[in-house]
Amino acid sequence: MSAKMKMLLAVIALALLVEANAQSGGFMKQFAQGSADMLRAYRDMREANWKGADKYFHARGNSDAAARGAGGRVAAAVISNTWEGIQRARGRHAEDSEADQRANRWGRNGGDPNHFRPKGLPSKY
């Protein structure tokens, strides 16, 4: 497991602990499912390795997670914001990070991820 993935999992675990004290079991289930949706989108993005598909997978992961309910929406926000923060700390350009965040918000707020889907991306994704 990469260092980036370990950091992401640590952030998710911390968020789960904090929210566990304030929310019901339904929220926690949604949070866990939303986290899994985000991980699935990340894995699919890596597997697809398709030029120009980054924003699509950002939007899709956030959309799938947010569809779980409030817990999924929080998971999507925590994971997206943490990941983009890590990327910026590693020297990624702010414009690239903001473009990813626009796609994240688009999906999280109910926008169709296919808005960002590049031509030719296999239908499996």
Side-chain angles (χ1 to χ4, degrees):
M1 184 178 294
S2 72
K4 291 186 273 186
M5 191 59 71
K6 287 179 184 176
M7 172 69 95
L8 191 56
L9 290 174
V11 169
I12 291 169
L14 177 60
L16 282 170
L17 290 171
V18 170
E19 289 298 329
N21 293 322
Q23 302 293 333
S24 70
F27 180 93
M28 295 308 296
K29 181 177 179 183
Q30 293 168 3
F31 190 99
Q33 291 170 331
S35 297
D37 291 330
M38 295 292 287
L39 180 58
R40 185 173 32 263
Y42 175 76
R43 286 181 175 164
D44 284 350
M45 180 178 70
R46 301 285 299 205
E47 177 184 298
N49 194 29
W50 197 268
K51 185 175 182 174
D54 180 49
K55 306 303 178 266
Y56 165 74
F57 287 108
H58 279 267
R60 195 193 84 188
N62 276 268
S63 177
D64 291 350
R68 302 283 184 176
R73 188 174 168 80
V74 168
V78 167
I79 292 168
S80 295
N81 293 337
T82 301
W83 181 252
E84 291 308 318
I86 291 169
Q87 294 296 334
R88 276 187 247 146
R90 290 184 160 179
R92 186 163 180 221
H93 292 269
E95 300 84 32
D96 293 336
S97 183
E98 182 49 38
D100 284 349
Q101 286 288 51
R102 279 193 297 277
N104 293 335
R105 287 188 298 270
W106 175 272
R108 209 164 41 242
N109 292 325
D112 183 359
N114 287 312
H115 174 78
F116 296 98
R117 187 182 189 87
K119 291 185 187 222
L121 180 67
S123 61
K124 141 182 192 173
Y125 304 110

